Amino acid sequence: MKGIFTALMCSFDEEGKINEKGLREMVRNNIDVQKVDGLYVNGSTGENFLISTEDKKRIFEIVKDEAGDDVTLIAQVGSLNIDEAVDLAKFTTDLKYDALSAVTPFYYKFDFDEIKDYYNTIMANVDNQMIVYSIPALTGVSMNLEQFGELFENEKIIGVKFTAPDFFLLERLRHAYPDKLLYSGFDEMLLSASVLNVDGAIGSTFNVNGVRARKIFELAQAGAVEEARAVQKETNDLIAAILDNGLYPTIKEILKHEGVDAGVCRKPMKPLTEAKKARAHDIAKKYL
């Protein structure tokens, strides 16, 4: 369960339907070209919050069928609808996903007892293990050291996808819970997290930049911080260019440049203009 995990994208056609051929190509590209250790399936990068339960299940099936046991698979099953979250947890456990993950419940101002009950309810229904997905900037849910500790009292909750720039809290978590899995969630801050001895990273840009991500992680583990910093600089040049052009559609266009049938993003995300498509190809040529 340690290493570099791609937050997997999904290929959709112009009508917003799953492009199975393209999704399979994305899976294989991550495994065979980017050489990642695992896939984080149906997270926000996969446009999870824009698709139906049936589409989520189909994506889980296709990814498992294509990846098999080649890499570790984590199923993001989090939902504001607890019944859907439990249903997806059961479904992916039956598919033999290696672990589950769930974003903290958002939008409504849930208190911590409600958040804890959400995770405990999901895990009471399955024989699997859970990675908490903490991304305060998008959910509005911030948890402190003691609250993470309360979640970890459930032995099935084995770690956190930590997508926050709070390195003080990250260091405190690493010190307090050495046996729990901590994954960095900000690609542009991978080096900073790696020197705090995280167990791995889960990232969107690993769909096209997984090889560099591994270099950063392994160099930091070896104490070669200056070398790792140089690779992080290259990575951040790429990330800055992608963000300036439009995150998800630009990654998909770069994948197309690399021969992967990445499709388009679902509405209300807008497609790239012809100028931005050309810019995405220029980014691929310059930075990859």
Side-chain angles (χ1 to χ4, degrees), residues 40-110:
Y40 186 87
V41 185
N42 272 335
S44 49
T45 305
E47 300 166 61
N48 171 77
F49 305 113
L50 304 178
I51 60 178
S52 68
T53 304
E54 292 71 26
D55 279 351
K56 293 173 188 180
K57 288 183 175 180
R58 185 61 187 139
I59 291 167
F60 284 132
E61 288 177 328
I62 293 168
V63 173
K64 178 60 180 177
D65 182 66
E66 186 62 42
D69 297 323
D70 292 348
V71 293
T72 300
L73 296 178
I74 301 174
Q76 199 292 124
V77 300
S79 172
L80 276 178
N81 183 331
I82 189 69
D83 294 329
E84 181 189 44
V86 169
D87 182 32
L88 292 174
K90 291 178 177 178
F91 185 80
T92 50
T93 297
D94 288 343
L95 285 175
K96 306 299 183 185
Y97 270 68
D98 299 284
L100 309 175
S101 183
V103 66
T104 51
F106 53 92
Y107 188 83
Y108 301 101
K109 301 295 183 181
F110 298 105

